[in-house]
């Protein structure tokens, strides 16, 4: 095959894979050396991810920056105090901050956050964008609750597995369900126009 025939990898997929690298490194480090080494690996991984984003694009997304700050703060407390509770709270705090940001964008001037993220590739009416944005608010809130439930009701190893496989799986399932919902809404809007 010539170079022109190789299909391009969608940028959103690449960003998702790159975002997973520190979490996968955390998981592997946990299996090899325990929660405190894994936390240190996560901090280094997220800082490297942030630096690479800055070097490549001369900017860092709000989501990545928020996550990086929280990893450093909660991870740092975990290492300083030698208490894994802090790192276990980090996914919940991130999820709830995202839920709050998405909810706030619903009532501010301009587009909801989800429309700013997907608007170039998806066409929906204003009400559907607001519905979709609220779906993400609910998802982030529930994801945060589930993280705390697993952290406080199961052992540490189960929580680490849930952090990688559970949260990632839930996000993928929700994104797929969102894709189905968007395609149905787009078909409905096309039918109404014709």
């Amino acid at each position: 095959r010539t170079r022109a025939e190789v299909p391009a990898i969608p940028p959103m997929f690449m960003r998702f894979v790159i975002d997973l690298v520190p979490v996968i490194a955390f998981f592997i480090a946990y299996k090899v050396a325990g929660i405190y080494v894994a936390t240190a690996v996560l901090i280094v991984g997220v800082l490297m991810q942030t630096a690479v984003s800055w070097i490549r694009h001369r900017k860092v997304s709000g989501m990545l920056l928020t996550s990086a700050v929280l990893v450093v703060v909660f991870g740092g407390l975990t290492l300083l105090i030698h208490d894994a509770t802090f790192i276990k709270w980090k996914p919940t705090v991130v999820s709830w901050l995202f839920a709050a940001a998405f909810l706030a964008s619903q009532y501010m001037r301009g587009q909801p956050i989800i429309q700013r993220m997907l608007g170039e590739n998806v066409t929906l009416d204003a009400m559907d964008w607001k519905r979709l944005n609220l779906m993400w608010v609910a998802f982030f809130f529930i994801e945060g609750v589930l993280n705390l439930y697993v952290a406080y009701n199961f052992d540490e190893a189960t929580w680490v597995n849930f952090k990688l496989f559970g949260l990632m799986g839930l996000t993928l399932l929700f994104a797929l369900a969102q894709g189905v919902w968007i395609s149905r809404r787009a078909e409905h809007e096309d039918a109404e126009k014709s």
Side-chain angles (χ1 to χ4, degrees):
R1 295 178 99 174
T2 65
R3 192 176 187 131
E5 294 174 8
V6 176
I9 298 171
M12 206 154 173
F13 176 76
M14 281 306 299
R15 191 171 64 210
F16 179 73
V17 170
I18 290 167
D19 287 349
L20 281 179
V21 170
V23 177
I24 293 168
F26 172 86
F27 178 79
I28 293 167
Y30 176 80
K31 296 297 182 185
V32 171
I35 193 72
Y36 300 109
V37 171
T39 300
V41 166
L42 181 64
I43 291 169
V44 170
V46 168
L47 290 175
M48 287 176 57
Q49 183 182 42
T50 306
V52 167
S53 178
W54 175 255
I55 291 165
R56 289 187 69 207
H57 307 290
R58 287 290 177 231
K59 66 178 183 175
V60 178
S61 74
M63 288 181 145
L64 176 56
L65 189 58
T66 300
S67 185
V69 168
L70 290 173
V71 164
V72 170
V73 170
F74 284 85
L77 287 169
T78 293
L79 296 176
L80 186 67
I81 299 171
H82 220 66
D83 183 350
T85 303
F86 293 103
I87 200 66
K88 290 179 181 179
W89 264 87
K90 181 255 164 195
T92 293
V93 173
V94 168
S95 292
W96 287 353
L97 283 174
F98 289 164
F102 275 58
L103 185 61
S105 77
Q106 192 90 351
Y107 300 103
M108 296 178 163
R109 285 189 344 166
Q111 301 172 332
I113 289 176
I114 197 68
Q115 186 174 0
R116 286 181 247 157
M117 292 171 69
L118 302 177
E120 290 181 14
N121 303 315
V122 177
T123 304
L124 294 172
D125 67 29
M127 276 311 296
D128 282 338
W129 279 119
K130 288 187 176 196
R131 285 185 192 108
L132 185 59
N133 200 63
L134 286 174
M135 289 179 208
W136 277 99
V137 170
F139 173 76
F140 285 131
F141 179 77
I142 292 167
E143 183 180 59
V145 170
L146 284 173
N147 178 67
L148 288 181
Y149 179 78
V150 173
Y152 283 100
N153 291 288
F154 296 90
D155 62 19
E156 188 177 274
T158 301
W159 174 78
V160 169
N161 288 330
F162 176 76
K163 180 176 167 42
L164 176 62
F165 301 110
L167 293 178
M168 180 180 63
L170 288 171
T171 303
L172 285 172
L173 284 174
F174 184 75
L176 288 172
Q178 168 194 267
V180 170
W181 185 85
I182 288 171
S183 67
R184 287 188 177 157
R185 293 307 302 160
E187 286 173 13
H188 177 72
E189 287 172 19
D190 287 345
E192 283 182 347
K193 288 176 186 171
S194 46

